[in-house]
Amino acid sequence: MSEDRSEAEARSSHVPREDRSEAEARSSHVPREDRSEAEARSSHVPSEDRSEA
Amino acid sequence: MSDWGFAGRYDDVSGQVAIVGIGEAEQTSASGRTTREIAAQAVERALADSGLAPGDVDGIMRAPFGRDQFDQRAYHEHFGTSHQMWESDRGGGMVWAGTAPYEAARALHEGRARHIVNAFAVAWATQRGEMVGGPGEVHAQERFKQSLEVPFGWFPQPVYFATIARRHMHDYGTTQEQLGAIAVACRRHANLTPGAVMHDKPLTMEQYLASPAIVEPFRKEDCCLISDGGAAYVMTTPERARDLRPPVIEVAGVGIGSASTGTYWSQQRAFTSTPQVFAAPVAFDMAGLTPDDVDVLTCYDPFTIVSLMQIEDMGFCAKGEGGPFVEDDALSFDGGRLPYNTHGGMLSHAYVLGIAHVVEVVRQLRGEAAAQVPRARVGVYGGYTGPQASTLVLTRP
């Protein structure tokens, strides 16, 4: 990801990707590296800090 | 069917928090301002409304996302202060505009702060010209969506919610006109609200129906604005509130609900429901009230169908009956059965993700709203992200 892209995301989205990952890592007991796999395997771990809306 | 989610376990905080100051930044189209400049204006106005000085506020809440929100450092830079502040990223807009008072109640109770401001702002209209793909871009970067949603045309947000609207129409017979009734009511309220982005832009049902579809069944009027703006509110204990400006507006109940079937709407088992099913009963129980007691409702409303679903899921009518429920001026401030988004909501007031909805409820309960509901004493905000929803019940004792 280029620097420009990263900045554009931060400016243009509801939930910048990097911040969301950090927030998710802080907000749950699922280790950060395992979070996406856990989400893929099981849907019992709602991601608290993202939005569909 | 209620096995697809759960309510968060909240302690009873009824009567422990009051909202003593509210402020809105100018809600505009592209303004050239930065997010922090907008937030600072909202916080300044909220402090002025409360009668507190910048040095009196020792708690600050901001959104859990976004690098440019108004944090402690920005607060001190703007106001020239340097005191220690309790700080939380469990605030801002969306769901958190509704749950921030719960977090504040705990901080006030534990003595970590005496006066707490929750603020949120966006400059997305200004930034729009720099966007690569608009607000949906972050969704496009997600592998889940890239792999399992985008290839099937499930992208971006208007498409998700148009599909949900279609399903609601199929399952319950909801009509285009019923969705339009929500858009028209919100626009009417915005036309009465001087600060609304769509002020002086009337919308009739005929105009709504004649508007071209952007993704069936949605017209652009079914979709929220993109705007620059923000809002803030100041919280303290009811005891301290009695020394500040009257009337005291208290937090009577808070609830949060989450879907357990997944983060993404395509994983939802209850495709036409929101986690308000779980959040609202907790908040109403805490408040000792029912939906029948509510004088004014505001809900996070990215699309008309999200308003309709939340009205159902919070218990204002039975599931599937939201369409008939919103017909015939039912949502109007002046005589409607459920005065709704009386400032215009995100469809017609401003796209500041719900925090201005809380400000509007406080205005209503004070008796200071532009589209004032007579004798409003109980007001509710419904916060929403998709996988989560929150309910905040405010009262004027």
Side-chain angles (χ1 to χ4, degrees):
Chain A
M1 183 181 293
S2 72
E3 187 63 26
D4 288 346
R5 183 56 170 272
S6 181
E7 286 188 9
E9 276 193 1
R11 284 193 302 270
S12 68
S13 74
H14 299 222
V15 186
R17 196 176 191 182
E18 297 80 357
D19 288 356
R20 185 171 61 248
S21 297
E22 287 184 10
E24 282 180 0
R26 281 197 308 275
S27 67
S28 80
H29 298 295
V30 181
R32 189 175 184 182
E33 295 75 17
D34 295 338
R35 185 58 181 257
S36 58
E37 279 192 24
E39 281 185 0
R41 279 198 311 274
S42 160
S43 32
H44 295 292
V45 187
S47 180
E48 293 178 352
D49 294 339
R50 74 173 302 287
S51 174
E52 288 281 82
Chain B
M1 183 172 65
S2 58
D3 59 345
W4 54 275
F6 58 92
R9 293 179 184 174
Y10 271 4
D11 297 328
D12 188 341
V13 297
S14 182
Q16 295 184 21
V17 190
I19 296 181
V20 295
I22 52 175
E24 279 189 63
E26 289 170 31
Q27 317 289 5
T28 66
S29 53
S31 64
R33 296 173 295 167
T34 67
T35 305
R36 284 187 176 166
E37 287 171 348
I38 296 167
Q41 185 181 45
V43 172
E44 273 183 9
R45 291 176 174 181
L47 265 61
D49 181 64
S50 70
L52 293 166
D56 296 328
V57 173
D58 55 2
I60 188 164
M61 304 188 74
R62 58 184 166 76
F65 57 86
R67 296 171 178 149
D68 49 358
Q69 288 300 309
F70 201 69
D71 56 12
Q72 180 175 180
R73 182 176 175 183
Y75 186 96
H76 289 318
E77 285 178 357
H78 181 76
F79 290 111
T81 48
S82 58
H83 57 286
Q84 187 65 35
M85 300 179 84
W86 171 77
E87 187 165 14
S88 168
D89 69 355
R90 301 282 95 191
M94 307 184 99
V95 160
W96 304 284
T99 57
Y102 180 82
E103 303 295 333
R106 294 159 61 99
L108 292 165
H109 179 71
E110 294 167 7
R112 287 181 279 170
R114 291 168 55 84
H115 305 103
I116 299 169
V117 63
N118 178 39
F120 184 74
V122 294
W124 285 330
T126 289
Q127 294 162 353
R128 196 175 206 173
E130 303 167 13
M131 291 180 185
V132 177
E137 185 182 5
V138 70
H139 284 192
Q141 300 298 323
E142 296 186 16
R143 274 190 298 174
F144 180 94
K145 290 184 178 294
Q146 289 173 357
S147 302
L148 297 173
E149 295 186 356
V150 174
F152 300 96
W154 178 258
F155 183 84
Q157 286 94 328
V159 177
Y160 315 155
F161 288 95
T163 313
I164 293 162
R166 277 284 199 204
R167 180 62 175 269
H168 203 282
M169 292 168 139
H170 177 270
D171 287 354
Y172 301 117
T174 306
T175 66
Q176 188 79 59
E177 288 80 359
Q178 290 165 348
L179 295 178
I182 297 170
V184 170
C186 287
R187 184 65 62 86
R188 177 168 177 250
H189 293 155
N191 277 274
L192 295 165
T193 303
V197 172
M198 300 304 279
H199 187 62
D200 290 333
K201 295 183 177 65
L203 177 69
T204 65
M205 180 63 81
E206 291 70 30
Q207 290 170 319
Y208 168 84
L209 293 171
S211 183
I214 57 170
V215 49
E216 289 283 359
F218 285 165
R219 281 79 176 126
K220 66 179 181 182
E221 291 80 6
D222 289 287
C223 308
C224 61
L225 305 166
I226 296 289
S227 57
D228 287 1
Y233 57 86
V234 182
M235 297 168 281
T236 189
T237 63
E239 292 74 24
R240 293 192 193 102
R242 284 189 261 281
D243 294 329
L244 299 170
R245 60 153 297 169
V248 175
I249 305 301
E250 288 189 3
V251 173
V254 189
I256 187 164
S258 301
S260 57
T261 57
T263 297
Y264 302 97
W265 202 289
S266 56
Q267 299 170 300
Q268 288 269 30
R269 198 155 72 236
F271 199 70
T272 55
S273 293
T274 69
Q276 290 292 4
V277 169
F278 309 105
V282 172
F284 283 120
D285 284 351
M286 192 184 294
L289 298 168
T290 73
D292 285 342
D293 297 313
V294 175
D295 297 310
V296 58
L297 172 69
T298 66
C299 284
Y300 184 94
D301 57 329
F303 302 97
T304 47
I305 189 64
V306 180
S307 291
L308 194 147
M309 290 193 298
Q310 289 187 91
I311 287 170
E312 294 174 341
D313 296 341
M314 297 171 93
F316 292 100
C317 63
K319 191 66 195 173
E321 295 180 5
F325 183 87
V326 303
E327 288 178 334
D328 300 328
D329 300 323
L331 305 182
S332 293
F333 79 102
D334 52 349
R337 74 170 86 178
L338 180 64
Y340 177 76
N341 280 359
T342 44
H343 59 325
M346 298 197 316
L347 296 184
S348 286
H349 172 258
Y351 186 52
V352 289
L353 306 196
I355 193 163
H357 291 53
V358 176
V359 166
E360 171 66 10
V361 173
V362 174
R363 280 205 186 103
Q364 287 283 350
L365 299 185
R366 287 178 173 179
E368 298 173 351
Q372 180 64 48
V373 177
R375 299 172 297 284
R377 287 294 183 274
V378 179
V380 170
Y381 165 67
Y384 177 81
T385 57
Q388 288 196 306
S390 66
T391 303
L392 171 66
V393 182
L394 299 177
T395 58
R396 176 174 177 174

